[in-house]
Amino acid sequence: MKHILTVVVLLITLVAMLPGEEGMYPLSEIHKLDLKERGFEIEPAELYNPSGVSLVDGIINLGGCTASFISPDGLILTNYHCAFGAIQSLTSTENDYLRDGFYANAAVGELPAPRYTARLIESYRDVSRQVLSVVSGRMGHAERSKAIEEKIKRMVVDVEKANPGRRAEIAEMFRGKTYVLFVYANIKDVRLVYAPPRAIGEFGGEVDNWAWPRHTGDFALLRAYVAPDGSFADHSPRNVPYRPRKYFQVSTAGVQEGDFVFALGYPGSTHRHKSSHYLAWEEEVSLPAAVDLGRWIIALKEKMSETGRETAIKLAASLQSLWNYVKRSEGQLKGLKNLKLAERRREQEAELQRFINADPKRKKKYGDLFAGLDRAYADMRRRAPRDTALDNLVSRRYSMIMGNAFAICEASVERAKKDTQREAAFMDRNFERTEKQMTLALRNYYEPAEKAVLGELLRRAAALPEGEAIAAVRDLAGQGDHEKNLAEFLEKAFARTQLKDPAVVSAWLRKTNLELRALDDPFILLGLALYPDYREMREAGKREKGLLDPLLAQLVDAKKEQQGTEFIPDANSTLRLTYGRVRGYSPADAVHMQPFTTLGGIVEKTVANPGAENFSAPQRLLDLSAAKAHGAYAHPALGDVPVAMLYDMDTTGGNSGSPVFNARGELIGLNFDRVYEATINDFAWDPSYSRSIGVDARFILWSLDQFSNAKRLLQEMGVK
Ligand code: ASP
C-alpha cells in the first residue's frame, strides 16, 4: 500500500514537472484532445457542447478582451485594464472613479459603458469551400484578395439578415486556406458595476506592466442588459439584466504550485506560421518604427499630464494603451534579437527547401514558395517608410482630429459604393459603431496634445526623400522653412476647423465627396488631398495579401508534409482553449521566480517606493493587511491573501480577462498579462520563458468583501 502511495505521489509530481505545451486550440480541435491525459478532471461535453450547456457558453468576447459571466443576472468579470475605457470616460474631477474606484451599491447606480458590447458564441461552421469558390487561377493578386473579401462580406450580411440581433464574423484560420463562420449573440447595453481604485487595478503601473513579481488587482465588474423581451437592445433605462445560459461561481478553492489550470478566451493574433521574412520585417522595420514614435508621444503626453488633473484624465486612456503597446514591442524586439528567431526560422526554411527539392512533384507544387516570399517582402520593405508615414497620418490611432477628418473623406467615397464593396468600417452593419468611436473619442480632445502629435506626424512625413514624398504633405511643407510653414498651417487649421464638435463629425460623415470639397475645412481639405496616395497604398496592401495568402497556405502544407503532423492555426481573435500548470520560472542565471505574490507584497512595494504614484496602495488596503484581515481568502501555505499567479499556459493579447479554471472547471483566477520574456509568445512559444499572469480569485473576493464591503455583489455571486 505504502509503495502504491509513493508511486502515485511520484507520478503526480512527475506530471506536474513536465514542461508546458504550446497550443491555443480552436473549438473544432477540442474533441481531438485527450482531456484526462492532459490533466482535466471534467468531461469534454462540460467544456464544449454545441447541443447543450457548457463552459464555453459563459465566455464573452468583450471587443479585444475576454470576459465571463459570474452570476445568474449577467454580472461580468473582466480585467481592470479592459474596463479602463469605461472607467476613464465616466471619470471627472468631481467623480474621480480612476482615483477612488467605483461601486454601484444598487442596480440603478450601474453606469452605461459606451462602446462596450458583449458577444457570445452561438454557432460556428467551416465555410472554406464557399469562401474560396470565388477564386480562380487566372486572377491577379489584388483581384484575388478583393474577391475573397467581398465574398466574406456578402456571406456575413446574409447571415445577419437571417439572424436578427446577431453578429456574424468569418475568421481566416490558416491564411489563404481555411475560413470559419462564427455567429454571436451581441449584447449592446453593458454597464460598469465595480472597479477598484486605479492604485489597485493598475498597481505597479507602467513599471510593473509585462513583469513579474506582479501585485496588480487587475479586475473589474460589468453587467449585461437586454430589453424586457430579451432582445439585444441599445442602452435604455427599461432594460433588464441578461440571464446567461451559463455563469461561473468565483471559487475560493485556489490552486497550488504545480496544479493544472486552463483558460478559455479570445487571443488576438500570433504569427507562428509566418515565414522568417515576417520575423525579420518585425525586428528590422515595423517594431522599431512603432516604438520610436510611441516613445515620442508618451514623453509628450506624460509631461502634459503633469500640468493638471483634468488633462491627466483626458490623456489617461491613450497613455495607458501606448505604454502597454510600446513596452510589449520593446520586449518583442529584445526577444527577437536575443533568441535570433528570424535566423532560426531561416534555417528551418532551408531545411524545408531541401525537403521540397528532394522530390520533383513537391518541387513543382512548392517550387516558387520562398522566392515568392522574398519578392513580396522586398516590395514591402521598399514601400515601408512612406507607407508608415502615410498610415500614421490618416489613422485614428495617433491624431484624433486628422484621423476623423480622413475617415470622413473615406466615408464619402465608400458610402457611394454597394454595401458589400465598401471598406468594412463603412458598411451599414458597422457604420454606427464607426461613428460612435469617432464622436466619443472627442470627449478626450486636448488641443495642445493634438497639435503637437499631428505636427510630429507631418514633420516625419515631410522628411521623406524626394522620390517618396507624399504630395499633399510636400505642398503643406512648402518652400523654404518647412518647420515654420507646418507650424503656421497647424495654428490656422486648429483655429478654423469645426471638427472638434461631435455633431459636426456625425453630420459630415454623411456628406458626399462634392459636398465635402465645398466645406473649406483645413483638415478635410488635407484629407481629400491625401486620399489618392492612401488609395494607392491600400491597393498595394490588397495586392500583397493576395500574393502572400496562397504562399502562406503552401508553407503550412509543405511543413505538414515534411513533419507529418497537423498544426493549430495562429490566434485570430476566435475562441481558444489553452492549458498548463501553475509554475515559476527562471528569467536569468541564479534567479528563480515563485508563482504567487501576496497582499504583503503590495505593502512591501508601497513602503519601498515612498510617494511613487505607481506604488501607492490605498491606506485602507495597508491597514487591512496590517490587521491581517484576510477573511476566508488566505492561501493556506502562504498565510496571506494571494494576489497574482504565474502559469505556463499559451496566451496572448486578447486573453486579457480570460477566466482561469482549475482541473475541475472552477473559476480560480483571471488572466491579465504575460512576463516580459513571454511578450515574444506571439512569434515563438517556449516552456522555459512563456509564463502568463492572472489575478488570484481569492484577491478578487477579498477586495469585494474586505476592502469594499460590496455585500450586494457577493450575495449575487453566491459567496456570502
Ligand atoms: N496585458 C496584455 C494585454 O492587454 C495581455 C497579454 O497580452 O498577455 O495586451
Side-chain angles (χ1 to χ4, degrees), residues 64-65 79 81-82 209-210 214 218 324-325 328 651-657 671-675 678-679 681-682 691-693:
C65 276
N79 290 142
H81 81 264
C82 296
N209 195 16
W210 302 110
R214 191 67 164 276
D218 196 345
N324 194 46
Y325 175 72
R328 187 194 65 184
T651 72
T652 186
N655 272 119
S656 286
N671 188 74
F672 71 96
D673 207 7
R674 284 168 281 161
V675 300
T679 50
N681 267 16
D682 298 358
R691 293 292 178 279
S692 305
I693 307 175

Side-chain angles (χ1 to χ4, degrees), residues 624-637:
L624 288 167
S625 176
K628 294 210 179 320
H630 298 155
Y633 312 109
H635 186 296

